[in-house]
Every structure is written in C-alpha cells, then in structure tokens.
C-alpha cells in the first residue's frame, strides 16, 4: 500500500480536499465516482419515463380497477381524470405524465410523451342504486340531472390505438 494519503489539500488556491491520484485508492475513486454518478443519473431517468410495456400494463390494471368502482361525480364533464387516477394508483410506471384526451366518440385516448403507444378507454357511468348513506325517514330523492353530483358505478374497457 502506498504511503500517500487518499485525500490531500488542493493546490489550486482552495483549501478543499481532493482525491490523491498517487494513492491507488484515490486513483480508483477518481475513476469510479463519475461512473457511479452516471449510473445513478441513467437509473433516475429510467424510473421517470414510461416504456410501452409499462403503459400497456398500467392501462390494463387501471381499467380493471376502474371497472365496477363507485365514484361521486356528475355525468357531464371530462372523466379523463378518473382514468388517469386509476392508472396512477395501479403502481405501474412513473405514474405521472399520462395524457387522457376525450374524443368525439365518447372514448378517451390515453398516451404519454415518452411512448408512441395509444390506448382507447371507454368509461360508462350508471347511477348507483345503493348509495352508501341513507337517512331514515328521508323522502325518495329525485333522479339527479346530468350536471348534478351523485354516486355512479363505472364500467370501463380498453383497446389498443386511439379512439378516433
């Protein structure tokens, strides 16, 4: 083993410690530190982007979880947030960065910026006959209008490709 220390004071006008290239351990650290840093950066990048397989699996699991689930929502409006939330809660992929576009045919095209894959998700909401809270002696409530909040049960399906 070398008598040189692993860390020495910098000779470039600062009093910082730097790796000593004359010590074998210091030389190994000089070589390994940037390689480890690059590995960590590539790993972080891989964890924050979608792959096509991850998107396919996340959409499939999200639609499966969304099917038969109760929601407090209205019939009007964009229900793409229900799909995006189900995909995020699937635990597959980064979770963020999912784009849901409502199409004219009533479906939602699901995609990401990271992949070319697109999936068509159809969600239908039916009024839940058994709301979770019923007040004793309350009169029967009238059926909610399309813009009124109520409990609905969702049915969801998906297929490959956009909904156009």
């Amino acid at each position: 083993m070398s008598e040189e220390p692993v860390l020495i004071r910098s000779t470039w006008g600062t009093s910082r410690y730097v790796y000593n290239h004359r010590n074998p351990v210091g030389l190994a650290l000089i070589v390994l530190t940037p390689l480890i840093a690059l590995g960590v950066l590539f790993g972080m990048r891989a964890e924050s982007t979608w792959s096509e397989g991850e998107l396919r699996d996340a959409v499939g699991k999200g639609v499966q979880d969304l099917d038969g689930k109760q929601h407090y929502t209205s019939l009007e409006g964009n229900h793409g947030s229900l799909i995006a939330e189900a995909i995020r809660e699937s635990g597959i992929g980064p979770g963020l960065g999912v784009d849901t576009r409502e199409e004219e045919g009533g479906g939602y095209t699901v995609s990401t910026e990271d992949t070319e894959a697109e999936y068509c998700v159809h969600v239908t909401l039916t009024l839940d006959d058994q709301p979770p809270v019923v007040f004793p002696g309350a009169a029967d409530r009238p059926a909610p209008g399309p813009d009124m909040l109520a409990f609905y049960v969702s049915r969801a399906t998906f297929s490959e490709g956009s909904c156009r």
Side-chain angles (χ1 to χ4, degrees):
M1 192 79 183
S2 174
E3 295 295 321
E4 292 280 335
V6 176
L7 295 170
I8 59 172
R9 287 204 181 263
S10 174
T11 59
W12 288 31
T14 64
S15 61
R16 295 184 310 182
Y17 281 93
V18 295
Y19 295 132
N20 184 0
H21 65 280
R22 292 183 190 98
N23 183 302
V25 174
L27 186 60
L29 289 172
I30 289 171
V31 173
L32 290 177
T33 301
L35 295 176
I36 291 171
L38 284 174
V40 168
L41 289 175
F42 280 121
M44 288 173 54
R45 168 95 168 111
E47 289 295 318
S48 66
T49 58
W50 286 94
S51 71
E52 294 197 12
E54 284 176 332
L55 181 61
R56 179 187 61 245
D57 294 344
V59 169
K61 175 94 169 74
V63 166
Q64 180 183 3
D65 294 345
L66 192 60
D67 193 37
K69 189 174 181 185
Q70 187 182 55
H71 304 280
Y72 188 65
T73 186
S74 68
L75 287 177
E76 286 187 352
N78 187 337
H79 295 105
S81 61
L82 295 176
I83 298 167
E85 180 182 348
I87 291 171
R88 186 177 59 254
E89 289 177 355
S90 73
I92 301 171
L96 300 175
V98 175
D99 180 37
T100 56
R101 293 184 314 274
E102 186 174 14
E103 303 292 344
E104 289 183 21
Y108 295 86
T109 300
V110 177
S111 62
T112 66
E113 291 182 2
D114 303 327
T115 65
E116 297 292 322
E118 292 182 325
Y119 295 92
C120 180
V121 178
H122 287 277
V123 176
T124 55
L125 298 173
T126 55
L127 188 61
D128 190 4
D129 296 334
Q130 304 270 327
V133 178
V134 177
F135 297 106
D140 289 339
R141 292 179 289 147
D147 60 339
M148 292 177 60
L149 293 175
F151 288 98
Y152 292 94
V153 175
S154 61
R155 297 287 175 222
T157 59
F158 81 101
S159 60
E160 286 193 34
S162 68
C163 295
R164 296 177 200 177

